[in-house]
Each structure stands twice: as structure tokens, then as C-alpha cells.
Amino acid sequence: MSVTEGYFSSKNVKMVYFAQGKASSSTLYHILMKNIRVLSALVVSVFLLVLITACDSSTNPLIPEENGQTFIGQLPHAAKSKILWFCDYEDVTFVKWEDQGTGTYYAGGGIFITDEQNTDYGIVSNYTYSGNNASFASIDNAIQPGNSKAVRFMRWTDKAWNENGDYFPDEAYYSVFMRFPEEYDPTKDSGNDPNNDGGWWNVFQFKSDNNDGSQPVVLLDIYNDGSGMFFGLIVKDYQNDNSSNHTQEYSVQANPLLIEPNKWIHVEAYYKKSKDYSGRVIVWQNGVKIFEKENIRTVLPPGETAVWGIGNYTDYIGSGTEAGKAIIYFDDAIVSEVRVSQYLD
């Protein structure tokens, strides 16, 4: 009797059934071997597909699918794959900044406070750049020069040490969205400036350790020239590795970009680590390059690395709704191997 073949589906698998009688053993053998070859090819194809997907460089296990509504989640796949660390506050915690807690043994970052009674920080949902949550850092009573107030979110590794964390690479891009709800002015009057610094406001910085402790090396300062708030760049040089004494260069923009109150701005810095004056820093505001410095020392001996931080740090705020009071909102902080500000709308 003859063998009748039937097709179970239109895919590559061919299913065989028999009708009315017996097929010869030779026929059965050839049919069986044919289907084994087809099934084997299908299994191999499925395995390769799974393997390719798992190794796809366009995916990043750091970024869950539900983050699609955030700035980070909406980046192109190629950019996502280059993200080393991020904090978008969608988990309503600061775990990504401080792991199991500031100062804990395996922490690769932390939140550092100066004057706890006059500082605060937390998570908000009414001021966000993207997603459902952002953070804030506020200071109060910053009216006595020399008496600093500070909330600093600092990070130096991609993960906690006990999760195979490591220092950020020698070259990386560090970025965050900031929002200032009103115009502030840190400028000090000459009669109220005992340190003759003119006023300062540190909101974005890189630090490194020498033998005298943790020292700010490169930082973004905010100044107000009477027409609004602008970024200045400070680069400090510590020629004596056993001292906090330093010289510094203050740079202003050739064509200053205004920091508009109550609007989100994006700040990004490329930072090349170097102990031998081959370091480099480039800063962008809303995707526009505003600073570039080369041939600088960006890691201090004997420090192993540089520490990145954002925050609200000053000793004087002279204007705003209330003198001495200032708040800054932050969202979508990222450390990446590529510049993310190129993907701004």
C-alpha cells in the first residue's frame, strides 16, 4: 500500500501520517531521516536566534523594558548598549547612587551632606523631565559666607563592589538634567566676602584623592552677572600631592548660554582621567559645547580614580524668593561610553 504524506503547518516542519496499510521499512527509514534533518535544522536555527538575541549589543540588562517612558528608555538601542550606570529614580529610591547605603563596605557611591539641619533631599513626582519621578536637593540659611551647605550625590563605580563593580573607565560621558525653579544669585558683596571668593555655587563636579584628602579637581560653577544664571568652569591644579593648596583657572563661555529658570536643562561632560597632565574635559549644555580644556591633571596621585558628583553646594545665596534658600531638581543621570546629548529632541 502507498504512503500518504500530510502537512501539519506551512512552516519548515513536515509531519507524516500513514493511511491504509503498512509502509516498507525502507520507506519509513527515509521518511524518518528526512524529518529528523528538518527538525535538527529548526532546533539549530532557534538556538542561534536565542544566542544572537542574548549577545545583541543593542540591549542593556541595566535598563528594564518598563523604562520606555523615560529619557533613558527612549534612547536608540545603540546608545542604550553603551550606558555604564544610570539613575532615573523610577524605583523611588537612591539605591543607584549609594547601593546599600552611604559609607557601607561595598558602596560604589554615596550621598554626602554638609549641615544636616539646613539641607534636604528626596524624590518628587511633580517635577520630572521624563518618567514618573525625579530628585531634589535643597539648602537653607546659606547667608553666612564660609558656612557651607551641601547635598552631593557622588558615584565612582558602575555597580556595587560585591556585584562585580568597577571604576568608571578612563574616558566616559557624565550627564544629568537639572531644573532651577527660580533665578538665584550666589554673588557676595565686597563687605560680606571674608574669603574674597566673590561667590560660588558647585552643582556638577569631579573629585580625586591626594594625600591630604578628597579634592575638587574640575567643577561647574553657577554665577549671576545681573542678567541671569550661567555656568563657569573651574579647573584646579594641586602641585603638592600632600596639600589641599592649589591654583585654579576660571573659564567663562565666549557666548554664554542662559540657565533659564523653571526649565529643564541638560548638562554633559566628557572626562578623560589622567595623572600626568594629559587629561581632558568637554562640557555641553543642551547639546551645545560650552567648554573644552586639555592637558590638565584630572586624577590626583595617589588617587585611583576620579569621583563624579552632582548636587547643591554653596555658602551663600543672596536672591530668590527667600535669601539663603535654593532648590535644584535632577533627573536621568547617566554615565555612558557615548555622548547622550546628541539624542536630545
Side-chain angles (χ1 to χ4, degrees), residues 173-209:
Y173 295 81
Y174 303 77
S175 63
V176 69
F177 287 92
M178 298 181 180
R179 181 168 175 165
F180 301 81
E182 56 183 310
E183 182 180 325
Y184 300 110
D185 188 356
T187 307
K188 297 169 184 172
D189 297 329
S190 58
N192 190 30
D193 189 7
N195 296 321
N196 295 315
D197 55 36
W200 54 273
W201 192 6
N202 180 344
V203 298
F204 188 111
Q205 67 174 324
F206 295 92
K207 303 184 74 176
S208 186
D209 289 345

Side-chain angles (χ1 to χ4, degrees), residues 130-344:
S130 69
N132 298 312
N133 300 291
S135 70
F136 76 90
S138 67
I139 59 175
D140 202 0
N141 292 319
I143 54 177
Q144 297 179 350
N147 187 8
S148 298
K149 324 290 180 185
V151 178
R152 288 157 290 191
F153 306 113
M154 310 294 294
R155 192 73 202 179
W156 50 91
T157 68
D158 54 357
K159 295 185 290 290
W161 289 113
N162 60 329
E163 297 175 1
N164 297 317
D166 198 0
Y167 291 128
F168 293 127
D170 288 345
E171 298 181 57
Y173 295 81
Y174 303 77
S175 63
V176 69
F177 287 92
M178 298 181 180
R179 181 168 175 165
F180 301 81
E182 56 183 310
E183 182 180 325
Y184 300 110
D185 188 356
T187 307
K188 297 169 184 172
D189 297 329
S190 58
N192 190 30
D193 189 7
N195 296 321
N196 295 315
D197 55 36
W200 54 273
W201 192 6
N202 180 344
V203 298
F204 188 111
Q205 67 174 324
F206 295 92
K207 303 184 74 176
S208 186
D209 289 345
N210 68 6
N211 293 319
D212 195 39
S214 178
Q215 313 295 347
V217 179
V218 175
L219 60 95
L220 281 178
D221 174 70
I222 291 181
Y223 69 91
N224 191 318
D225 65 359
S227 63
M229 299 183 293
F230 303 92
F231 284 121
L233 180 71
I234 298 176
V235 177
K236 299 188 177 187
D237 184 24
Y238 300 80
Q239 296 184 357
N240 183 346
D241 296 330
N242 299 305
S243 173
S244 62
N245 294 332
H246 63 275
T247 59
Q248 72 177 41
E249 178 183 3
Y250 194 107
S251 300
V252 297
Q253 303 167 54
N255 298 294
L257 294 181
L258 182 69
I259 301 172
E260 296 187 59
N262 218 29
K263 289 188 176 181
W264 286 101
I265 64 167
H266 188 259
V267 180
E268 184 165 24
Y270 162 81
Y271 199 76
K272 179 183 178 182
K273 300 177 186 178
S274 169
K275 296 182 180 181
D276 61 1
Y277 293 93
S278 62
R280 185 184 184 195
V281 62
I282 307 173
V283 181
W284 294 265
Q285 179 178 336
N286 292 337
V288 178
K289 185 167 72 174
I290 58 174
F291 297 112
E292 182 172 5
K293 290 292 179 182
E294 296 180 316
N295 303 318
I296 58 176
R297 188 160 72 164
T298 51
V299 176
L300 304 179
E304 294 182 75
T305 189
V307 177
W308 173 57
I310 59 174
N312 189 348
Y313 179 20
T314 186
D315 64 355
Y316 186 78
I317 294 292
S319 68
T321 302
E322 181 180 344
K325 186 177 183 67
I327 185 169
I328 308 175
Y329 298 96
F330 301 98
D331 205 356
D332 297 318
I334 300 174
V335 181
S336 173
E337 294 179 296
V338 297
R339 182 167 68 89
V340 300
S341 58
Q342 63 185 304
Y343 302 108
L344 294 172

